[in-house]
Amino acid sequence: MAPPVPSCIRRSLSPTSKNAASLRKYPRHWATCQAPASGSFLSLRNCPLTAAHRLQRSMMAMSISTTSWLLLWRSGGGNVTALPIAPPPRILSTEKWRASRVLPQRLYRISGYSFGEPYFGRSGGNRFDAPGWKFNKAEYGACYLGYTLEVAMAESILHDQMPIDGKFLIANTVLQNSYVYRFTGDSLLLLNLTGALLKKLSGHGDLTGTSSYGVPQQWALAVFNNPARYDGFIYASRHATLGKAVMLFDRAEAKITQSIFTPLIETPGYAKAAKQFAIVGM
């Protein structure tokens, strides 16, 4: 016997809807629902769940289709979680995928140093660093850049910051000692790990969204080992989600040269970006 449906099915689901057959079995539930009417979706935010219907906190702010929810509930579900990012498929490191050509002049990098850029790190402390760092045998050095100044700021000075009342309070010494680097050089051969290709490779937003770096580092190594010898890859920024960032392998070092660098607070576009992120010096 199927378990009873909790009272979070919205009252607007009439018996003439595509879910009518299912809902007629539970007339008291959908007829007495306290949620506001707005289409054939579940509203779990204000639903008075009983012990038998209790869902994990991760579902409380979700809206899913009634049909899908009923199938889940009838199967004994109720604990809804997304699949985490899996290790990269073998074809990522064996097949030559179409690459993007990007000029170094398009990219931004922010550093706390006024020399030594571009810098290719091997510490293992960043998302796409070489996994061999654990054995002091890093397969490559990694350099991180943004497509825009906003992305570069979000991925550097704001990376580990939390806003207070909607504002980022950043020490003036940090702002004054951060530098924006621009580059020149040859066209870079980059694999675009966003959009359709990422999905075809069984990837998703966790590539840049997960808080664990272990699996993303395996993806980066797979790109590095590809016979196409990509200079790096494009990925969705985690901290400026509408933007894109780039990770370069140190094999690209000969293709990219520092052209200019300026103090962050003197860089054209900084004032606009600081206002956008509500950055307040202190």
Side-chain angles (χ1 to χ4, degrees), residues 46-97:
N46 299 314
C47 175
L49 299 176
T50 65
H53 301 142
R54 193 171 305 279
L55 303 179
Q56 283 198 349
R57 187 173 299 176
S58 60
M59 281 194 68
M60 294 301 291
M62 291 176 58
S63 290
I64 58 177
S65 72
T66 303
T67 302
S68 298
W69 196 92
L70 285 171
L71 290 173
L72 168 70
W73 196 260
R74 287 176 176 175
S75 68
N79 179 14
V80 179
T81 58
L83 289 175
I85 187 77
R90 186 180 63 86
I91 56 174
L92 177 57
S93 61
T94 58
E95 294 194 19
K96 294 183 179 181
W97 305 93

Side-chain angles (χ1 to χ4, degrees), residues 96-274:
K96 294 183 179 181
W97 305 93
R98 182 178 179 181
S100 299
R101 290 280 183 179
V102 177
L103 290 173
Q105 290 88 329
R106 293 191 59 183
L107 305 176
Y108 293 76
R109 177 170 166 82
I110 294 179
S111 170
Y113 296 90
S114 58
F115 60 90
E117 293 291 346
Y119 174 73
F120 293 84
R122 296 172 177 266
S123 70
N126 300 294
R127 180 171 298 273
F128 297 117
D129 284 5
W133 70 270
K134 301 172 185 176
F135 312 102
N136 293 320
K137 294 182 179 180
E139 296 86 349
Y140 54 82
C143 182
Y144 298 83
L145 309 98
Y147 260 68
T148 65
L149 178 61
E150 289 80 4
V151 169
M153 289 172 60
E155 294 286 349
S156 57
I157 63 171
L158 300 181
H159 187 280
D160 298 319
Q161 301 296 322
M162 290 296 292
I164 298 176
D165 295 329
K167 297 179 180 180
F168 286 99
L169 306 181
I170 308 297
N172 286 323
T173 53
V174 172
L175 298 175
Q176 293 166 359
N177 293 293
S178 295
Y179 301 90
V180 177
Y181 285 85
R182 304 302 305 276
F183 303 93
T184 187
D186 298 332
S187 178
L188 299 166
L189 186 70
L190 304 178
L191 184 63
N192 190 347
L193 284 183
T194 67
L197 178 59
L198 180 62
K199 185 63 177 176
K200 288 193 294 184
L201 292 169
S202 73
H204 50 70
D206 261 9
L207 182 64
T208 54
T210 179
S211 59
S212 173
Y213 291 172
V215 173
Q217 289 181 356
Q218 294 178 39
W219 278 71
L221 180 60
V223 177
F224 178 76
N225 288 333
N226 191 287
R229 293 186 60 80
Y230 302 109
D231 293 317
F233 56 89
I234 302 166
Y235 62 94
S237 168
R238 185 186 190 212
H239 297 277
T241 55
L242 294 180
K244 294 181 180 179
V246 168
M247 196 283 274
L248 293 181
F249 302 119
D250 57 353
R251 65 164 60 119
E253 190 169 6
K255 291 185 175 183
I256 181 170
T257 304
Q258 173 191 324
S259 59
I260 59 173
F261 81 96
T262 57
L264 173 61
I265 57 178
E266 298 177 13
T267 300
Y270 167 74
K272 179 181 178 181

